[in-house]
Amino acid sequence: MRALLIALLRRLLMIVPVLWAVVTLVFLLIHLVPGDPARQLVGENATEEQVQKVRADLGLDKPLLTQYTDYWTGLFQGDWGENPVTRQGVFTRISSRYPATIKLTLASMLIAILISIPLGVTAATHRGTFIDGLSTFTALLGISLPSFALGPLLILIFSVELGIAPVSGGGGLANLILPSITLGAALSAILTRIVRSSVLEELGEDYVRTARAKGLLERTVVYKHVLKNGLIPVVTVLGLQFGVLLAGAIITERIFSWPGVGSLLVDSINERDYKLTQGCILVIAATYVLVNTATDIAYRFLDPRIKTD
Amino acid sequence: MNLTAKIGLGIIGLMVLLAALSPVLASWDKVQRQELTSRLESPDSKHWMGRDQLGRDVMTRIIYGARVSMLVGLSVVSISATIGVMLGAMAGYKGGWTDRIVSNFLFNVFLSFPGILLAIAMVAFLGPSIKNLIIALSVIGWVGYARLMRAQVLKVREYDFVQAARALGANDLRILIRHILPNSIQPLIIQASLGMAGMILAEAGLSFLGLGVPEPIPSWGKMIDDSREFWFTAPHLFIFPGVMIALSVLAFNFLGDGLREMLDPKQRPR
């Protein structure tokens, strides 16, 4: 138990350098802008005074090290900067959008689980048959079909033609259906393949033979015994894929005009609101790091065979 | 080679041919020629894929879009595989501090970002262009190759023939290039094939967000985004580019899976 706690503590401490690297990378992004970011923001026709003012607002007139320490201080104090033109605060704008993104990501994860487990298990228990081939093909199709083609297709079929699902734009549960299917499709495909191979591996284990010899129903063997062990790799992948979903949400939110951080990020890029872009990237990346760490910890609890060192 | 890999290879061949022969198949002038009186026309015998919101021929733009997809995919895979193989081989072969810096620090930092987010961030600040797109996607792409190469080198360097080469006085570079690399190449080829699929999708995704290739060059992702107001009145505007992206990605996935099955006997169905 002590070894496990030390391992957990060590894993938690590992977040510190990673988050430091993430914040530093995000801070440095603005310095990638070719030319003068302040000039880019106010446009070519602005006067030199206007450019100077925006440069001061963005803090770009200070030495790099001072900008860096100011950036850290601002992060801790909730002062993530503001748009030099509209004066809207970055932190306020992001925090108002963040719940919508998390809601969409979690819903798409749920959809992916609901689709992949029965599909993966069926493929594994029918290995080499037509059903297996079909599930593998569906999974490959899910990975290959881009969300920005699937999304409009779903809207066309279910909203425009059949009229059974709203086009979205945020709001209640019904508005969540099409965006979460769109975002979760690729994950369903990946999970289906993992569930399939994981269940296949477990089906060859001794305990399965024992369970069958006891005279248990095949259904009980698969869903009660095999699936329990077979789901361990699925949990890890789910955690790692949460970040991929968060990033994928940027595109899905744009398709469905979903009011989340992803669509805010795209707006900020189009408006050249660099501070807001930095803030959105930071929030998505930090969430990714935290979820990955949580997954790693959950994985250790789920599978005691994992070494604690 | 199994059937799906052959199908994949066939589709890839067609795509490459389409990309290479695009100037012969349709003139560049046709890509840009607008006929506003015929805008949003559905597919017919003259314009097999219809016309877009500006009256341009969709099929011509699809053909030229293949050039962008293949160019970006091939460039990114070549650049990131070269960087990844070099760094991974160095880390795995040298070990010690080199390995710690590459595998403990660089891998962790680059894997702490969702890849596509880092690419979006880079293009957002560098500005959209094919060059910046290739840079951004290469920056996120090398890690996969480096991890794979490092693992391969760690395995292969212990083999007897490597020890024999060392005993015969071969230097590190010769051992790496003549002995380790040829014996590590199989998984790299599979990774490159799957990597092409990922990069085609990433290019289309970034172009859809307005962060890909700038006007007037057509890109499949951008074609879908440009037509968003007309998705439901003229669905051919997103269906054709969508099918092309899906086909290309599917083909490279088919090929990668087929190669894996062919090169790794454990993956073959029993």
Side-chain angles (χ1 to χ4, degrees):
Chain A
M1 192 61 196
R2 191 161 173 263
L4 182 69
L5 281 176
I6 292 173
L8 287 183
L9 200 67
R10 200 181 287 168
R11 184 67 190 83
L12 281 171
L13 277 177
M14 265 173 66
I15 302 180
V16 178
V18 172
L19 278 180
W20 168 79
V22 168
V23 172
T24 307
L25 267 175
V26 170
F27 163 76
L28 290 173
L29 280 174
I30 201 163
H31 298 280
L32 282 179
V33 178
D36 183 358
R39 169 68 68 185
Q40 298 262 359
L41 191 66
V42 287
E44 289 304 314
N45 299 327
T47 61
E48 192 50 37
E49 284 76 24
Q50 285 171 314
V51 177
Q52 288 293 353
K53 188 173 177 312
V54 170
R55 193 174 295 137
D57 283 344
L58 289 171
L60 293 170
D61 53 343
K62 295 175 190 163
L64 192 65
L65 197 64
T66 316
Q67 286 181 45
Y68 187 55
T69 48
D70 285 354
Y71 188 69
W72 270 105
T73 316
L75 283 184
F76 281 116
Q77 292 175 346
D79 174 20
W80 293 22
E82 56 181 22
N83 184 302
V85 182
T86 62
R87 295 283 161 206
Q88 283 179 299
V90 169
F91 187 75
T92 322
R93 288 186 77 184
I94 294 178
S95 49
S96 69
R97 297 284 199 102
Y98 190 65
T101 297
I102 297 297
K103 198 161 90 176
L104 175 62
T105 311
L106 288 175
S108 58
M109 198 168 251
L110 186 70
I111 296 265
I113 294 170
L114 289 177
I115 295 174
S116 63
I117 292 180
L119 207 61
V121 171
T122 314
T125 50
H126 294 78
R127 188 185 190 184
T129 64
F130 174 73
I131 299 173
D132 185 20
L134 190 69
S135 102
T136 307
F137 180 75
T138 317
L140 265 178
L141 199 67
I143 296 172
S144 310
L145 198 61
S147 58
F148 42 91
L150 178 65
L153 195 66
L154 289 177
I155 302 175
L156 186 69
I157 297 170
F158 295 103
S159 303
V160 180
E161 297 294 331
L162 301 174
I164 52 173
V167 178
S168 182
L173 267 183
N175 296 61
L176 201 55
I177 299 170
L178 294 185
S180 49
I181 293 176
T182 305
L183 183 56
L187 180 59
S188 316
I190 295 168
L191 284 183
T192 302
R193 300 180 82 181
I194 291 167
V195 172
R196 179 188 175 272
S197 62
S198 179
V199 167
L200 268 181
E201 205 171 294
E202 292 297 325
L203 280 173
E205 295 289 331
D206 288 341
Y207 73 88
V208 177
R209 204 176 310 128
T210 311
R212 281 179 181 150
K214 278 197 312 187
L216 289 182
L217 285 173
E218 188 61 20
R219 199 185 173 82
T220 318
V221 174
V222 172
Y223 281 93
K224 207 169 165 197
H225 296 267
V226 170
L227 202 57
K228 214 177 198 175
N229 290 311
L231 281 187
I232 292 172
V234 178
V235 175
T236 324
V237 174
L238 266 184
L240 295 175
Q241 287 291 323
F242 186 86
V244 179
L245 285 180
L246 266 181
I250 299 169
I251 289 177
T252 311
E253 287 179 10
R254 183 160 167 79
I255 301 167
F256 291 92
S257 309
W258 185 262
V261 181
S263 53
L264 188 65
L265 171 64
V266 177
D267 291 345
S268 74
I269 294 169
N270 291 334
E271 293 160 16
R272 290 189 177 151
D273 189 341
Y274 297 120
K275 290 276 175 191
L276 187 56
T277 308
Q278 279 178 310
C280 292
I281 291 166
L282 184 63
V283 163
I284 299 174
T287 311
Y288 181 68
V289 172
L290 295 175
V291 171
N292 275 359
T293 309
T295 311
D296 208 24
I297 293 171
Y299 192 40
R300 284 166 200 274
F301 276 107
L302 269 175
D303 192 349
R305 287 170 298 185
I306 294 169
K307 286 181 190 165
T308 45
D309 53 359
Chain B
M1 191 180 278
N2 66 14
L3 182 67
T4 44
K6 280 180 192 160
I7 296 174
L9 202 59
I11 300 173
I12 294 165
L14 281 177
M15 292 288 175
V16 172
L17 217 59
L18 205 63
L21 296 179
S22 45
V24 182
L25 295 169
S27 67
W28 175 247
D29 172 59
K30 215 175 156 194
V31 173
Q32 302 183 74
R33 196 188 304 145
Q34 301 179 6
E35 284 178 37
L36 291 170
T37 46
S38 317
R39 60 201 292 268
L40 304 175
E41 262 182 16
S42 299
D44 56 32
S45 57
K46 220 172 157 200
H47 298 276
W48 290 359
M49 293 184 180
R51 290 174 186 254
D52 71 1
Q53 62 282 359
L54 295 172
R56 296 171 297 193
D57 181 42
V58 173
M59 193 161 152
T60 313
R61 296 179 67 76
I62 289 271
I63 292 172
Y64 274 83
R67 266 174 105 82
V68 174
S69 275
M70 295 299 140
L71 173 76
V72 173
L74 276 174
S75 312
V76 173
V77 168
S78 317
I79 296 171
S80 46
T82 309
I83 298 172
V85 164
M86 275 169 30
L87 280 175
M90 215 166 68
Y93 191 75
K94 285 278 174 199
W97 275 105
T98 319
D99 188 26
R100 258 172 249 162
I101 290 172
V102 174
S103 64
N104 285 0
F105 184 71
L106 283 182
F107 286 0
N108 276 342
V109 168
F110 278 88
L111 293 174
S112 65
F113 262 95
I116 195 75
L117 181 71
L118 189 58
I120 289 173
M122 286 187 68
V123 182
F125 286 92
L126 283 170
S129 74
I130 291 193
K131 190 184 89 190
N132 290 342
L133 192 64
I134 292 173
I135 293 174
L137 293 177
S138 302
V139 166
I140 63 168
W142 70 271
V143 189
Y145 298 96
R147 290 176 82 190
L148 192 65
M149 190 60 195
R150 178 180 171 271
Q152 282 297 114
V153 171
L154 284 176
K155 193 173 78 182
V156 177
R157 74 172 184 183
E158 300 302 329
Y159 287 169
D160 288 345
F161 62 85
V162 176
Q163 306 292 344
R166 195 172 292 134
L168 285 171
N171 63 23
D172 289 349
L173 194 67
R174 188 182 164 84
I175 291 175
L176 269 174
I177 294 174
R178 292 294 299 271
H179 300 284
I180 294 183
L181 196 62
N183 285 287
S184 311
I185 211 85
Q186 285 188 355
L188 285 170
I189 294 172
I190 300 167
Q191 172 93 354
S193 178
L194 299 172
M196 268 298 284
M199 289 310 163
I200 289 173
L201 211 51
E203 180 277 318
L206 285 172
S207 295
F208 175 78
L209 292 175
L211 297 169
V213 291
E215 284 292 343
I217 308 163
S219 145
W220 295 335
K222 196 170 64 170
M223 285 170 77
I224 298 181
D225 183 47
D226 286 347
S227 63
R228 54 190 302 127
E229 280 175 53
F230 313 100
W231 282 348
F232 315 119
T233 46
H236 64 275
L237 295 184
F238 77 82
I239 288 174
F240 288 118
V243 167
M244 291 304 282
I245 299 166
L247 260 184
S248 317
V249 176
L250 199 64
F252 280 103
N253 277 331
F254 272 171
L255 182 66
D257 273 6
L259 285 174
R260 195 194 334 241
E261 210 169 86
M262 199 172 82
L263 300 173
D264 181 1
K266 278 184 279 181
Q267 296 276 338
R268 280 180 207 154
R270 272 171 276 172

